[in-house]
Amino acid sequence: MLHAMFSGRMEVLTDAEGWILIDRCGKHFSTILNFLRDESVPMPENQRDLEELLSEARFYCISELVEECEAALRKCENALRQWEAEKEATCRVTLITSQREEQSLIQSTSRPVVKLLVNRHNNKYSYTSSSDDNLLKNLELFDRLSLRFSRRVLFIKDVIGSNEICLWSFYGHGKMLTEVCCTSIVYATDRKHTKVEFPEARIYEETLNVLLYEHRNGPDADLMLATSVRGAAASSSSNPASVQCTSDDEEDLLRMSALRLSGVGPSGGASGAQGQLASGLSRLRPNKNN
């Protein structure tokens, strides 16, 4: 194009002094001249400047520069798509610092809620050999679920500390539906140990259940009854010793209450009380070991 302009093969406009007038923006003209001199120029870094330079290269009929601009634009578009894909794959998980904050979040959101309580610092009893690995598996599953369902479910991580060590909680319409306790107390020959488990299938099942509350505007009594009762029944059948997760101190209180109901009282004789105590413990221990 420039060669045709200055060789006389193309009609051009001139001013009163004979200067040739080119009706184009001069922003990228220096880049055009440098490419004609060196056959290579650095490409602009942003997409807008690339598109402007491509338009100028097409006007001046510089096919080599057009190809370089188009290749640079494709590279920018691929980078933008990759960035958008990575942005969609990220999510935010709320770390609560108080019970009041937890209740406020659960009551204010319209989405179902999945909460994971993690308290590895509860060292009342030593842990079994597989407990640390299972605790990490629970954390990894929480991260995978939060990445997959972050737009549909509110994920909360509770690290404020409690008697529990690893506990999943599931909420719908601001109310707790069920819990999945991942810890238990196992008995060795002379001491107790804390065992952390990884009930992956059960956690997936409960997460899919809370998705049923995703697009419901108000409480659904039948749905809440079905999901909460089903969860309680499943927990009871898998662990007959307790329906809900309790700390070891609470288990001691339950054991004492069971013994009182079995007939051991302060008014009974010493030998009779000891016999009933041994009988009561023999009934409780098999359930505890399960």
Side-chain angles (χ1 to χ4, degrees), residues 195-227:
K195 180 181 179 181
V196 179
E197 300 171 338
F198 180 50
E200 183 177 12
R202 173 78 191 285
I203 295 168
Y204 267 116
E205 180 184 7
E206 299 300 344
T207 303
L208 294 177
N209 282 334
V210 297
L211 292 177
L212 297 173
Y213 295 83
E214 182 180 8
H215 299 298
R216 298 180 182 269
N217 297 325
D220 188 326
D222 293 335
L223 177 61
M224 297 190 71
L225 179 63
T227 52

Side-chain angles (χ1 to χ4, degrees), residues 54-174:
L54 175 61
S55 178
E56 296 300 307
R58 286 172 175 168
F59 175 79
Y60 293 109
C61 301
I62 308 175
S63 59
E64 296 85 355
L65 183 57
V66 170
E67 292 176 358
E68 290 193 20
C69 290
E70 289 176 344
L73 277 173
R74 286 194 296 270
K75 186 177 180 180
C76 283
E77 291 172 355
N78 291 336
L80 180 61
R81 282 195 293 268
Q82 182 179 359
W83 179 80
E84 289 177 348
E86 292 176 352
K87 183 179 179 181
E88 291 181 356
T90 58
C91 67
R92 296 180 180 178
V93 175
T94 304
L95 294 179
I96 59 173
T97 57
S98 66
Q99 293 294 333
R100 179 180 298 178
E101 182 182 4
E102 174 187 338
Q103 291 301 318
S104 176
L105 284 171
I106 293 174
Q107 296 298 327
S108 62
T109 184
S110 59
R111 293 181 289 170
V113 178
V114 174
K115 185 188 76 170
L116 174 62
L117 184 153
V118 178
N119 181 22
R120 177 60 178 81
H121 300 292
N122 186 346
N123 296 322
K124 184 174 183 180
Y125 305 117
S126 59
Y127 289 84
T128 58
S129 58
S130 61
S131 291
D132 286 333
D133 289 339
N134 287 335
L135 189 61
L136 289 176
K137 289 178 180 179
N138 279 279
L139 291 170
E140 290 171 356
L141 178 58
F142 181 82
D143 292 340
R144 291 199 304 271
L145 291 174
S146 60
L147 284 172
R148 183 173 182 180
F149 300 111
S150 60
R151 295 173 179 251
R152 305 171 63 185
V153 178
L154 175 62
F155 287 88
I156 299 176
K157 187 174 290 186
D158 185 351
V159 292
I160 59 178
S162 69
N163 291 331
E164 307 300 343
I165 297 171
C166 184
L167 177 67
W168 294 76
S169 302
F170 302 87
Y171 299 82
H173 297 320

Side-chain angles (χ1 to χ4, degrees), residues 16-59:
E17 299 180 357
W19 294 95
I20 295 177
L21 300 178
I22 302 176
D23 189 17
R24 303 295 294 181
C25 176
K27 178 179 179 180
H28 299 287
F29 191 68
S30 60
T31 305
I32 298 293
L33 293 179
N34 288 333
F35 185 84
L36 292 174
R37 294 189 190 102
D38 306 327
E39 298 183 352
S40 176
V41 289
M43 290 291 104
E45 295 182 356
N46 61 74
Q47 186 173 352
R48 181 175 179 179
D49 287 344
L50 274 173
E51 292 173 349
E52 292 176 354
L53 181 58
L54 175 61
S55 178
E56 296 300 307
R58 286 172 175 168
F59 175 79

Side-chain angles (χ1 to χ4, degrees), residues 261-272:
L261 291 175
S262 65
V264 178
S267 60
S271 59

